[in-house]
Amino acid sequence: QVQLVESGGGLVQPGGSLRLSCAASGSIISINTMGWYRQAPGKQRELVAAITSGDSTNYADSVKGRFTISRENAKNTVALQMNSLKPEDTAVYYCKADIRIHVGLGLYGYWGQGTQVTVSS
């Protein structure tokens, strides 16, 4: 049983900052890639940022220079620091993790329930 719990969403003014956190718990052997996706009303879900077990990162062009993804392996946690937020960043943000739950088996993707981020004046 694996659960991803997101926190840190809320309402923030344009230009402000917000920090999202996602903690994985359960029968976890190891975690490979962890990432954040977002989906705005009427839009498709898109990748925001991802980080591998080797700390290699990837960002959407729209957030480069403003967002930073990091992970704390000891706590199976991934965070997304969001600075200089814009109204266009408004969306539901979802945490995703590729997790191995049993020795000898492959990775399986798990999703969190999502957390709302609203950027408005």
Side-chain angles (χ1 to χ4, degrees):
Q1 298 295 121
V2 174
Q3 183 178 18
L4 301 182
V5 179
E6 300 125 323
S7 63
L11 175 65
V12 65
Q13 295 182 333
S17 298
L18 209 59
R19 184 179 178 85
L20 304 183
S21 182
C22 172
S25 62
S27 301
I28 300 172
I29 298 299
S30 62
I31 301 177
N32 192 351
T33 301
M34 300 186 77
W36 290 93
Y37 292 72
R38 68 186 181 187
Q39 186 167 22
K43 302 292 184 179
Q44 292 189 357
R45 187 173 299 186
E46 64 174 349
L47 173 68
V48 177
I51 184 168
T52 69
S53 59
D55 292 332
S56 177
T57 59
N58 186 41
Y59 298 91
D61 289 340
S62 60
V63 307
K64 285 183 178 179
R66 299 189 298 120
F67 292 9
T68 302
I69 188 170
S70 61
R71 66 189 294 170
E72 186 174 341
N73 292 329
K75 296 183 178 181
N76 293 326
T77 299
V78 62
L80 184 68
Q81 179 65 45
M82 304 183 292
N83 299 324
S84 301
L85 284 163
K86 306 174 181 179
E88 305 93 280
D89 295 318
T90 296
V92 176
Y93 284 69
Y94 297 90
C95 176
K96 180 181 182 291
D98 296 324
I99 301 173
R100 179 174 286 105
I101 62 173
H102 197 286
V103 175
L105 299 181
L107 299 168
Y108 186 83
Y110 292 86
W111 290 87
Q113 294 298 308
T115 184
Q116 177 70 46
V117 171
T118 302
V119 184
S120 176
S121 60

